[in-house]
Amino acid sequence: MSKVCVVYWSGTGNTEAMANLVAEGAKAAGAETDIFTAGEFSADQASAYDALAFGCPSMGSEELEDTEFAPMFQGVLGSLAGKKVGLFGSYGWGDGEWMRTWQQDVRDAGIDLVSDGVIANEAPDDEAAEACRGLGASLAG
């Protein structure tokens, strides 16, 4: 059984809802799944998982939340080589540029993503919810 970890930061609850959907998809696909907030997770914990999903909403001028999430993610990035990794998050404006930038940064670090990042405008609608579950299933598979 694969072990999947979902790590997120959420300001309004939208990205938290997405994290729960990603975990739901991983569990449905048979994975043992844990969920952590960004403040609860560190690089030391990454080695315990086969796959990790990271969720962060778009902040400011389309960037990652920079007080808790971005420092945690930078600390973990070096320990993700060889693992299945997925990204997700919500946004309230713009066109998802923060996700494209984040994906490129991860790929530039030599990490393979299981899919393009899953994004939702505000709260996840049915389509985004299904995409979140699909991300979880692909991490578990």
Side-chain angles (χ1 to χ4, degrees):
M1 177 185 302
S2 65
K3 289 186 73 175
V4 176
C5 177
V6 179
V7 184
Y8 72 92
W9 187 93
S10 189
T12 62
N14 294 335
T15 301
E16 180 178 12
M18 294 177 79
N20 290 324
L21 290 161
V22 171
E24 186 182 300
K27 284 179 191 162
E32 183 182 320
T33 308
D34 294 322
I35 300 178
F36 297 95
T37 63
E40 298 170 331
F41 194 76
S42 69
D44 299 343
Q45 294 159 286
S47 62
Y49 297 94
D50 304 301
L52 299 97
F54 294 94
C56 186
S58 171
M59 304 291 285
S61 58
E62 294 219 39
E63 55 203 18
L64 297 175
E65 191 279 327
D66 64 358
T67 58
E68 220 171 274
F69 187 87
M72 175 280 303
F73 189 74
Q74 285 306 314
V76 170
L77 195 56
S79 58
L80 299 179
K83 297 187 181 288
K84 290 182 176 182
V85 177
L87 306 177
F88 64 93
S90 63
Y91 65 101
W93 61 92
D95 66 356
E97 178 186 352
W98 104 101
M99 181 59 72
R100 292 190 298 276
T101 302
W102 189 15
Q103 288 173 155
Q104 193 58 54
D105 290 347
V106 170
R107 288 181 176 126
D108 287 349
I111 309 301
D112 291 324
L113 295 172
V114 295
S115 67
D116 281 341
V118 175
I119 62 176
N121 190 333
E122 304 294 349
D125 59 13
D126 291 346
E127 184 180 335
E130 200 49 46
C132 287
R133 288 187 195 99
L135 175 60
S138 64
L139 289 167

PDB file of all heavy atoms in Angstrom, residues 12 14-15 18 56-59 62 88-100 118-124 128:
ATOM      1  N   THR A  12      -8.954  30.856   3.383  1.00  0.00           N
ATOM      2  CA  THR A  12     -10.414  30.979   3.397  1.00  0.00           C
ATOM      3  C   THR A  12     -11.136  29.638   3.517  1.00  0.00           C
ATOM      4  O   THR A  12     -12.349  29.596   3.636  1.00  0.00           O
ATOM      5  CB  THR A  12     -10.910  31.643   2.090  1.00  0.00           C
ATOM      6  OG1 THR A  12     -10.557  30.797   0.992  1.00  0.00           O
ATOM      7  CG2 THR A  12     -10.297  33.024   1.905  1.00  0.00           C
ATOM      8  N   ASN A  14     -10.929  27.298   1.020  1.00  0.00           N
ATOM      9  CA  ASN A  14     -11.059  26.708  -0.316  1.00  0.00           C
ATOM     10  C   ASN A  14      -9.959  25.678  -0.594  1.00  0.00           C
ATOM     11  O   ASN A  14     -10.233  24.582  -1.100  1.00  0.00           O
ATOM     12  CB  ASN A  14     -11.046  27.787  -1.394  1.00  0.00           C
ATOM     13  CG  ASN A  14     -12.265  28.684  -1.311  1.00  0.00           C
ATOM     14  OD1 ASN A  14     -13.309  28.294  -0.816  1.00  0.00           O
ATOM     15  ND2 ASN A  14     -12.123  29.903  -1.787  1.00  0.00           N
ATOM     16  N   THR A  15      -8.716  26.026  -0.274  1.00  0.00           N
ATOM     17  CA  THR A  15      -7.619  25.084  -0.511  1.00  0.00           C
ATOM     18  C   THR A  15      -7.696  23.922   0.474  1.00  0.00           C
ATOM     19  O   THR A  15      -7.358  22.793   0.135  1.00  0.00           O
ATOM     20  CB  THR A  15      -6.258  25.804  -0.467  1.00  0.00           C
ATOM     21  OG1 THR A  15      -6.259  26.825  -1.474  1.00  0.00           O
ATOM     22  CG2 THR A  15      -5.097  24.861  -0.741  1.00  0.00           C
ATOM     23  N   MET A  18     -10.009  21.506  -1.031  1.00  0.00           N
ATOM     24  CA  MET A  18      -9.318  20.787  -2.097  1.00  0.00           C
ATOM     25  C   MET A  18      -8.405  19.700  -1.514  1.00  0.00           C
ATOM     26  O   MET A  18      -8.340  18.583  -2.039  1.00  0.00           O
ATOM     27  CB  MET A  18      -8.506  21.757  -2.959  1.00  0.00           C
ATOM     28  CG  MET A  18      -9.369  22.734  -3.744  1.00  0.00           C
ATOM     29  SD  MET A  18      -8.388  23.926  -4.688  1.00  0.00           S
ATOM     30  CE  MET A  18      -7.907  22.908  -6.101  1.00  0.00           C
ATOM     31  N   CYS A  56      -1.618  25.236  -2.147  1.00  0.00           N
ATOM     32  CA  CYS A  56      -1.467  26.613  -1.683  1.00  0.00           C
ATOM     33  C   CYS A  56      -2.257  27.528  -2.611  1.00  0.00           C
ATOM     34  O   CYS A  56      -2.177  27.394  -3.830  1.00  0.00           O
ATOM     35  CB  CYS A  56       0.007  27.014  -1.695  1.00  0.00           C
ATOM     36  SG  CYS A  56       0.328  28.641  -0.968  1.00  0.00           S
ATOM     37  N   PRO A  57      -3.023  28.458  -2.050  1.00  0.00           N
ATOM     38  CA  PRO A  57      -3.760  29.396  -2.899  1.00  0.00           C
ATOM     39  C   PRO A  57      -2.831  30.460  -3.477  1.00  0.00           C
ATOM     40  O   PRO A  57      -1.724  30.658  -3.004  1.00  0.00           O
ATOM     41  CB  PRO A  57      -4.761  30.024  -1.929  1.00  0.00           C
ATOM     42  CG  PRO A  57      -4.077  29.953  -0.598  1.00  0.00           C
ATOM     43  CD  PRO A  57      -3.279  28.679  -0.622  1.00  0.00           C
ATOM     44  N   SER A  58      -3.334  31.121  -4.489  1.00  0.00           N
ATOM     45  CA  SER A  58      -2.645  32.274  -5.061  1.00  0.00           C
ATOM     46  C   SER A  58      -2.772  33.438  -4.091  1.00  0.00           C
ATOM     47  O   SER A  58      -3.853  33.714  -3.577  1.00  0.00           O
ATOM     48  CB  SER A  58      -3.307  32.635  -6.392  1.00  0.00           C
ATOM     49  OG  SER A  58      -2.816  33.852  -6.871  1.00  0.00           O
ATOM     50  N   MET A  59      -1.665  34.091  -3.831  1.00  0.00           N
ATOM     51  CA  MET A  59      -1.660  35.233  -2.926  1.00  0.00           C
ATOM     52  C   MET A  59      -1.094  36.449  -3.644  1.00  0.00           C
ATOM     53  O   MET A  59      -0.367  36.301  -4.621  1.00  0.00           O
ATOM     54  CB  MET A  59      -0.780  34.930  -1.706  1.00  0.00           C
ATOM     55  CG  MET A  59      -1.160  33.666  -0.943  1.00  0.00           C
ATOM     56  SD  MET A  59      -2.721  33.786  -0.073  1.00  0.00           S
ATOM     57  CE  MET A  59      -2.236  34.824   1.294  1.00  0.00           C
ATOM     58  N   GLU A  62      -0.204  36.901  -7.570  1.00  0.00           N
ATOM     59  CA  GLU A  62      -0.091  35.518  -8.037  1.00  0.00           C
ATOM     60  C   GLU A  62       1.208  34.865  -7.566  1.00  0.00           C
ATOM     61  O   GLU A  62       2.082  34.533  -8.350  1.00  0.00           O
ATOM     62  CB  GLU A  62      -0.241  35.437  -9.568  1.00  0.00           C
ATOM     63  CG  GLU A  62      -1.631  35.835 -10.010  1.00  0.00           C
ATOM     64  CD  GLU A  62      -2.160  34.971 -11.151  1.00  0.00           C
ATOM     65  OE1 GLU A  62      -1.921  33.755 -11.149  1.00  0.00           O
ATOM     66  OE2 GLU A  62      -2.833  35.531 -12.014  1.00  0.00           O
ATOM     67  N   PHE A  88      -1.805  21.657  -6.047  1.00  0.00           N
ATOM     68  CA  PHE A  88      -3.175  22.138  -6.190  1.00  0.00           C
ATOM     69  C   PHE A  88      -3.331  23.446  -5.432  1.00  0.00           C
ATOM     70  O   PHE A  88      -2.518  23.780  -4.577  1.00  0.00           O
ATOM     71  CB  PHE A  88      -4.184  21.085  -5.686  1.00  0.00           C
ATOM     72  CG  PHE A  88      -4.079  20.794  -4.211  1.00  0.00           C
ATOM     73  CD1 PHE A  88      -4.861  21.476  -3.292  1.00  0.00           C
ATOM     74  CD2 PHE A  88      -3.191  19.837  -3.742  1.00  0.00           C
ATOM     75  CE1 PHE A  88      -4.761  21.211  -1.928  1.00  0.00           C
ATOM     76  CE2 PHE A  88      -3.092  19.558  -2.385  1.00  0.00           C
ATOM     77  CZ  PHE A  88      -3.877  20.252  -1.480  1.00  0.00           C
ATOM     78  N   GLY A  89      -4.402  24.186  -5.752  1.00  0.00           N
ATOM     79  CA  GLY A  89      -4.679  25.417  -5.023  1.00  0.00           C
ATOM     80  C   GLY A  89      -5.809  26.203  -5.645  1.00  0.00           C
ATOM     81  O   GLY A  89      -6.217  25.957  -6.780  1.00  0.00           O
ATOM     82  N   SER A  90      -6.317  27.157  -4.879  1.00  0.00           N
ATOM     83  CA  SER A  90      -7.424  27.989  -5.344  1.00  0.00           C
ATOM     84  C   SER A  90      -6.927  29.408  -5.600  1.00  0.00           C
ATOM     85  O   SER A  90      -5.869  29.801  -5.131  1.00  0.00           O
ATOM     86  CB  SER A  90      -8.551  28.004  -4.310  1.00  0.00           C
ATOM     87  OG  SER A  90      -8.093  28.581  -3.103  1.00  0.00           O
ATOM     88  N   TYR A  91      -7.721  30.144  -6.355  1.00  0.00           N
ATOM     89  CA  TYR A  91      -7.378  31.533  -6.654  1.00  0.00           C
ATOM     90  C   TYR A  91      -8.663  32.339  -6.769  1.00  0.00           C
ATOM     91  O   TYR A  91      -9.733  31.788  -6.971  1.00  0.00           O
ATOM     92  CB  TYR A  91      -6.556  31.628  -7.950  1.00  0.00           C
ATOM     93  CG  TYR A  91      -7.305  31.215  -9.198  1.00  0.00           C
ATOM     94  CD1 TYR A  91      -7.843  32.168 -10.056  1.00  0.00           C
ATOM     95  CD2 TYR A  91      -7.506  29.870  -9.508  1.00  0.00           C
ATOM     96  CE1 TYR A  91      -8.538  31.797 -11.194  1.00  0.00           C
ATOM     97  CE2 TYR A  91      -8.189  29.491 -10.641  1.00  0.00           C
ATOM     98  CZ  TYR A  91      -8.707  30.464 -11.482  1.00  0.00           C
ATOM     99  OH  TYR A  91      -9.397  30.088 -12.604  1.00  0.00           O
ATOM    100  N   GLY A  92      -8.524  33.657  -6.609  1.00  0.00           N
ATOM    101  CA  GLY A  92      -9.697  34.519  -6.678  1.00  0.00           C
ATOM    102  C   GLY A  92      -9.630  35.523  -7.808  1.00  0.00           C
ATOM    103  O   GLY A  92     -10.598  36.192  -8.108  1.00  0.00           O
ATOM    104  N   TRP A  93      -8.471  35.632  -8.434  1.00  0.00           N
ATOM    105  CA  TRP A  93      -8.285  36.583  -9.525  1.00  0.00           C
ATOM    106  C   TRP A  93      -7.165  36.045 -10.402  1.00  0.00           C
ATOM    107  O   TRP A  93      -6.483  35.102 -10.035  1.00  0.00           O
ATOM    108  CB  TRP A  93      -7.926  37.966  -8.987  1.00  0.00           C
ATOM    109  CG  TRP A  93      -6.650  37.943  -8.205  1.00  0.00           C
ATOM    110  CD1 TRP A  93      -5.387  38.176  -8.681  1.00  0.00           C
ATOM    111  CD2 TRP A  93      -6.479  37.617  -6.824  1.00  0.00           C
ATOM    112  NE1 TRP A  93      -4.459  38.009  -7.685  1.00  0.00           N
ATOM    113  CE2 TRP A  93      -5.099  37.675  -6.532  1.00  0.00           C
ATOM    114  CE3 TRP A  93      -7.347  37.292  -5.791  1.00  0.00           C
ATOM    115  CZ2 TRP A  93      -4.585  37.408  -5.266  1.00  0.00           C
ATOM    116  CZ3 TRP A  93      -6.836  37.032  -4.543  1.00  0.00           C
ATOM    117  CH2 TRP A  93      -5.470  37.096  -4.286  1.00  0.00           C
ATOM    118  N   GLY A  94      -6.954  36.663 -11.542  1.00  0.00           N
ATOM    119  CA  GLY A  94      -5.896  36.224 -12.434  1.00  0.00           C
ATOM    120  C   GLY A  94      -6.312  34.988 -13.222  1.00  0.00           C
ATOM    121  O   GLY A  94      -7.493  34.644 -13.295  1.00  0.00           O
ATOM    122  N   ASP A  95      -5.320  34.305 -13.788  1.00  0.00           N
ATOM    123  CA  ASP A  95      -5.635  33.178 -14.670  1.00  0.00           C
ATOM    124  C   ASP A  95      -4.875  31.915 -14.302  1.00  0.00           C
ATOM    125  O   ASP A  95      -4.770  30.996 -15.103  1.00  0.00           O
ATOM    126  CB  ASP A  95      -5.349  33.555 -16.127  1.00  0.00           C
ATOM    127  CG  ASP A  95      -3.861  33.774 -16.387  1.00  0.00           C
ATOM    128  OD1 ASP A  95      -3.049  33.718 -15.429  1.00  0.00           O
ATOM    129  OD2 ASP A  95      -3.499  33.990 -17.550  1.00  0.00           O
ATOM    130  N   GLY A  96      -4.342  31.858 -13.097  1.00  0.00           N
ATOM    131  CA  GLY A  96      -3.607  30.670 -12.678  1.00  0.00           C
ATOM    132  C   GLY A  96      -2.106  30.767 -12.906  1.00  0.00           C
ATOM    133  O   GLY A  96      -1.398  29.762 -12.852  1.00  0.00           O
ATOM    134  N   GLU A  97      -1.616  31.974 -13.147  1.00  0.00           N
ATOM    135  CA  GLU A  97      -0.181  32.156 -13.400  1.00  0.00           C
ATOM    136  C   GLU A  97       0.675  31.604 -12.260  1.00  0.00           C
ATOM    137  O   GLU A  97       1.721  31.016 -12.483  1.00  0.00           O
ATOM    138  CB  GLU A  97       0.131  33.640 -13.610  1.00  0.00           C
ATOM    139  CG  GLU A  97       1.603  33.912 -13.833  1.00  0.00           C
ATOM    140  CD  GLU A  97       1.949  35.394 -13.891  1.00  0.00           C
ATOM    141  OE1 GLU A  97       1.027  36.238 -13.912  1.00  0.00           O
ATOM    142  OE2 GLU A  97       3.145  35.694 -13.908  1.00  0.00           O
ATOM    143  N   TRP A  98       0.213  31.777 -11.006  1.00  0.00           N
ATOM    144  CA  TRP A  98       1.000  31.300  -9.866  1.00  0.00           C
ATOM    145  C   TRP A  98       1.224  29.797  -9.964  1.00  0.00           C
ATOM    146  O   TRP A  98       2.294  29.300  -9.612  1.00  0.00           O
ATOM    147  CB  TRP A  98       0.333  31.712  -8.552  1.00  0.00           C
ATOM    148  CG  TRP A  98      -0.394  30.619  -7.820  1.00  0.00           C
ATOM    149  CD1 TRP A  98       0.069  29.924  -6.743  1.00  0.00           C
ATOM    150  CD2 TRP A  98      -1.700  30.082  -8.098  1.00  0.00           C
ATOM    151  NE1 TRP A  98      -0.867  28.987  -6.347  1.00  0.00           N
ATOM    152  CE2 TRP A  98      -1.956  29.069  -7.163  1.00  0.00           C
ATOM    153  CE3 TRP A  98      -2.676  30.357  -9.071  1.00  0.00           C
ATOM    154  CZ2 TRP A  98      -3.140  28.336  -7.152  1.00  0.00           C
ATOM    155  CZ3 TRP A  98      -3.846  29.627  -9.054  1.00  0.00           C
ATOM    156  CH2 TRP A  98      -4.076  28.642  -8.111  1.00  0.00           C
ATOM    157  N   MET A  99       0.241  29.045 -10.459  1.00  0.00           N
ATOM    158  CA  MET A  99       0.391  27.588 -10.581  1.00  0.00           C
ATOM    159  C   MET A  99       1.387  27.239 -11.685  1.00  0.00           C
ATOM    160  O   MET A  99       2.223  26.361 -11.513  1.00  0.00           O
ATOM    161  CB  MET A  99      -0.967  26.931 -10.842  1.00  0.00           C
ATOM    162  CG  MET A  99      -0.892  25.408 -10.946  1.00  0.00           C
ATOM    163  SD  MET A  99      -0.225  24.548  -9.480  1.00  0.00           S
ATOM    164  CE  MET A  99      -1.598  24.745  -8.332  1.00  0.00           C
ATOM    165  N   ARG A 100       1.320  27.940 -12.802  1.00  0.00           N
ATOM    166  CA  ARG A 100       2.280  27.670 -13.884  1.00  0.00           C
ATOM    167  C   ARG A 100       3.710  27.951 -13.419  1.00  0.00           C
ATOM    168  O   ARG A 100       4.640  27.183 -13.703  1.00  0.00           O
ATOM    169  CB  ARG A 100       1.931  28.497 -15.130  1.00  0.00           C
ATOM    170  CG  ARG A 100       0.618  28.050 -15.784  1.00  0.00           C
ATOM    171  CD  ARG A 100       0.400  28.706 -17.138  1.00  0.00           C
ATOM    172  NE  ARG A 100       0.293  30.159 -17.099  1.00  0.00           N
ATOM    173  CZ  ARG A 100      -0.829  30.834 -16.825  1.00  0.00           C
ATOM    174  NH1 ARG A 100      -1.949  30.187 -16.545  1.00  0.00           N
ATOM    175  NH2 ARG A 100      -0.837  32.148 -16.836  1.00  0.00           N
ATOM    176  N   VAL A 118      -3.783  21.246 -10.149  1.00  0.00           N
ATOM    177  CA  VAL A 118      -5.238  21.390 -10.144  1.00  0.00           C
ATOM    178  C   VAL A 118      -5.571  22.730  -9.509  1.00  0.00           C
ATOM    179  O   VAL A 118      -5.121  23.023  -8.396  1.00  0.00           O
ATOM    180  CB  VAL A 118      -5.902  20.238  -9.351  1.00  0.00           C
ATOM    181  CG1 VAL A 118      -7.402  20.455  -9.252  1.00  0.00           C
ATOM    182  CG2 VAL A 118      -5.578  18.897  -9.988  1.00  0.00           C
ATOM    183  N   ILE A 119      -6.351  23.561 -10.219  1.00  0.00           N
ATOM    184  CA  ILE A 119      -6.719  24.867  -9.676  1.00  0.00           C
ATOM    185  C   ILE A 119      -8.237  25.025  -9.655  1.00  0.00           C
ATOM    186  O   ILE A 119      -8.945  24.410 -10.447  1.00  0.00           O
ATOM    187  CB  ILE A 119      -6.064  26.030 -10.452  1.00  0.00           C
ATOM    188  CG1 ILE A 119      -6.504  26.068 -11.910  1.00  0.00           C
ATOM    189  CG2 ILE A 119      -4.545  25.944 -10.359  1.00  0.00           C
ATOM    190  CD1 ILE A 119      -5.958  27.278 -12.689  1.00  0.00           C
ATOM    191  N   ALA A 120      -8.690  25.820  -8.699  1.00  0.00           N
ATOM    192  CA  ALA A 120     -10.117  26.123  -8.587  1.00  0.00           C
ATOM    193  C   ALA A 120     -10.270  27.618  -8.356  1.00  0.00           C
ATOM    194  O   ALA A 120      -9.536  28.207  -7.568  1.00  0.00           O
ATOM    195  CB  ALA A 120     -10.741  25.361  -7.421  1.00  0.00           C
ATOM    196  N   ASN A 121     -11.229  28.223  -9.050  1.00  0.00           N
ATOM    197  CA  ASN A 121     -11.543  29.622  -8.827  1.00  0.00           C
ATOM    198  C   ASN A 121     -12.477  29.678  -7.624  1.00  0.00           C
ATOM    199  O   ASN A 121     -13.617  29.235  -7.697  1.00  0.00           O
ATOM    200  CB  ASN A 121     -12.209  30.221 -10.073  1.00  0.00           C
ATOM    201  CG  ASN A 121     -12.331  31.726  -9.966  1.00  0.00           C
ATOM    202  OD1 ASN A 121     -12.396  32.278  -8.878  1.00  0.00           O
ATOM    203  ND2 ASN A 121     -12.363  32.383 -11.100  1.00  0.00           N
ATOM    204  N   GLU A 122     -11.946  30.196  -6.501  1.00  0.00           N
ATOM    205  CA  GLU A 122     -12.655  30.217  -5.217  1.00  0.00           C
ATOM    206  C   GLU A 122     -12.887  28.787  -4.735  1.00  0.00           C
ATOM    207  O   GLU A 122     -11.994  27.966  -4.811  1.00  0.00           O
ATOM    208  CB  GLU A 122     -13.966  31.026  -5.309  1.00  0.00           C
ATOM    209  CG  GLU A 122     -13.786  32.459  -5.799  1.00  0.00           C
ATOM    210  CD  GLU A 122     -12.999  33.364  -4.863  1.00  0.00           C
ATOM    211  OE1 GLU A 122     -12.729  32.989  -3.703  1.00  0.00           O
ATOM    212  OE2 GLU A 122     -12.634  34.472  -5.296  1.00  0.00           O
ATOM    213  N   ALA A 123     -14.103  28.459  -4.269  1.00  0.00           N
ATOM    214  CA  ALA A 123     -14.390  27.112  -3.768  1.00  0.00           C
ATOM    215  C   ALA A 123     -14.403  26.132  -4.937  1.00  0.00           C
ATOM    216  O   ALA A 123     -14.842  26.474  -6.030  1.00  0.00           O
ATOM    217  CB  ALA A 123     -15.737  27.095  -3.048  1.00  0.00           C
ATOM    218  N   PRO A 124     -13.916  24.898  -4.716  1.00  0.00           N
ATOM    219  CA  PRO A 124     -13.901  23.930  -5.814  1.00  0.00           C
ATOM    220  C   PRO A 124     -15.318  23.563  -6.273  1.00  0.00           C
ATOM    221  O   PRO A 124     -16.157  23.186  -5.456  1.00  0.00           O
ATOM    222  CB  PRO A 124     -13.173  22.717  -5.224  1.00  0.00           C
ATOM    223  CG  PRO A 124     -13.197  22.897  -3.747  1.00  0.00           C
ATOM    224  CD  PRO A 124     -13.329  24.362  -3.490  1.00  0.00           C
ATOM    225  N   ALA A 128     -13.617  20.834 -10.477  1.00  0.00           N
ATOM    226  CA  ALA A 128     -12.388  20.919  -9.687  1.00  0.00           C
ATOM    227  C   ALA A 128     -12.342  19.821  -8.630  1.00  0.00           C
ATOM    228  O   ALA A 128     -11.281  19.253  -8.360  1.00  0.00           O
ATOM    229  CB  ALA A 128     -12.275  22.300  -9.035  1.00  0.00           C
TER     230      ALA A 128
END
